[in-house]
Amino acid sequence: MNRTQPRGAYPGGTVEPLTQPNPVIIVIFGAAGDLTWRKLVPALYTLFVDGWMPERFAIVGLDLKPMSDEEFRARLRSGVDEFSRCGRPDDDAWRLFASHLSYRSADLGSSEAYRMLAGLLEEQCGRWDLDAFIIHYLATPPALFEVIPPRLAAAGLARDRTGSRIVVEKPFGRDLESARALNRILTAVFDESQIFRIDHYLGKETVQNILAFRFANALFEPIWDRRYIDHVQVTVAEQIGIEHRGAYYERTGALRDMIQNHLVQILCLIAMEPPVSFDADEIRNRMTDVLRAIRPIHPDRVHESAVRGQYGAGWISGERVPAYRAEPGVSPGSTTETFAAIRFFVDNWRWQDIPFYMRTGKRMPARVSEVVIQFRPVPHQSFPATAIRDWQPNRLVLRIQPDEGILLRFQAKRPGLRVNLSPVDMHFFYREAFRAVPPEAYETLLVDVMLGDATLFKRTDQIEAAWSIMTPILEAWEVSSPPDFPNYAAGTWIVEPAEVLIARDGRNWLMPAASPRDRDEEK
Ligand code: BG6
């Protein structure tokens, strides 16, 4: 993760040495889709304005939909207006950026499309009179992930193993077997070092900060283990439903959509051993060690460790929202889970028998992602019972989003003539400490792809290990339909099976930590 800010194509950029390839051509497959509009191009635009794009670059969009360059640019501008971190572009900056964008309508399953692309790339390099570094970005529906690499190879576009990279979005497979098949297809054409499998959670500042917090401070690492930690909870709650993605979500569900990738990667960062260096493979080796140490869930005992839910109609922020089964593109008898909660154990010296509870759901009351490290009680309580009526063990909360920050809960003596202890919270907020809006995950990840830094991308073995862990759950859920769906109302935290799962261990889900600001509003 050595990001040296380069001199860019935009005059406002800084003047530090250029470390990414120049020129670079980013080919976006699936450029008429939502991801390009909502995430990729707004991130690329911000990188451009901040001086991270190389002096010579081109972004070529490919998709089936017929569109002229002008229509493509107009569509992307609306996405940048709405989603870019640096706000609505001024006309001059946009014009300059838009001159790097072009679009071709193409059937990505046909060889013709790739011959056309080869011609286009040659033409562009001819204009620069230089060979460009090519980044193939697969932002397509997953069925095309298998189609595009062999077609690129057949058109001679993957011949130079040092001149290109390929970025593959999620979902990477839908189970272990399909992930393996996809890995075989990709590695037949590209070297592992050229393949960048995205998990956008790893690009989030707060997720990366888990490494900084753990390994750049001497304070926490000595107590970061089973002797001091009682358990860990990871919550990724979303207020949104499935929006217009009914067809995708029906095939996917919460386990594949969120737990197999985003939540498991967070678990790896929390549980990994200290790396020897920040080398990409060293970090990924340590993360993979965690995956390998996760205790396999016995197929007959899945119900003890993994539960699911689906939302019914309810209220979110004062608005009535429909049940999952009433969403467009969803079958009225759907058994797809929109909520999943799982208890994992990591079988190694550091974590033996310490539960990691993970939960994620759509249509929860709030959008909040956080990791709670719940410490054990003090070994001996010296204070009189009257002093510790409010006493609670220490808790550390890593707030991933929103209100990015960290909370540490400890006991303090209440002011007064008697000894009375109360828990108090110490807060750190990124925005206040650094007075900056953190970069979007896609900005970070796109820069890393250009720099060739794979630290935050998943390797073949990581992907396959993560799918292996999910296999018994996927198989058990496939053969037994949940009898009680929908089993939570939109807008509630309580999903009964998840409550039972954790209560059996004598614990409960901790309410997401309210920031002082939220609490001020509540008063
Ligand atoms: C995506 C999932 O990977 O992550 C979506 O497919 C989910 O279903 C999204 O809404 C959540 O991302 P974020 O960054 O908004 O927390």
Side-chain angles (χ1 to χ4, degrees), residues 170 200-201 204 238 240 245 248-249 257-258 262 362 367 401:
K170 66 175 274 274
H200 80 279
Y201 264 63
K204 289 183 190 278
E238 295 185 278
I240 54 167
R245 299 193 305 158
Y248 158 78
Y249 204 83
D257 190 43
M258 299 293 286
H262 307 326
K362 301 260 185 212
R367 174 178 183 253
Q401 64 189 23

Side-chain angles (χ1 to χ4, degrees), residues 48 56 80 92 132 136 160 163 186 195 223 228 272 277 291 296 336 380 392 409 427 461 501 506-507:
F48 171 71
R56 294 188 200 83
V80 171
D92 288 345
H136 302 288
D160 177 4
L186 278 164
I195 306 170
I223 54 167
Y228 295 95
M272 69 192 264
S277 69
L291 294 172
T336 301
H380 168 67
Q392 289 179 13
R409 180 166 297 174
H427 286 270
D461 53 347
L501 174 89
R507 301 188 177 91

Side-chain angles (χ1 to χ4, degrees), residues 219-236:
L219 206 54
F220 297 101
E221 203 47 30
I223 54 167
W224 206 260
D225 65 32
R226 63 191 305 279
R227 291 170 304 162
Y228 295 95
I229 292 176
D230 177 77
H231 74 280
V232 175
Q233 294 189 15
V234 180
T235 297
V236 176

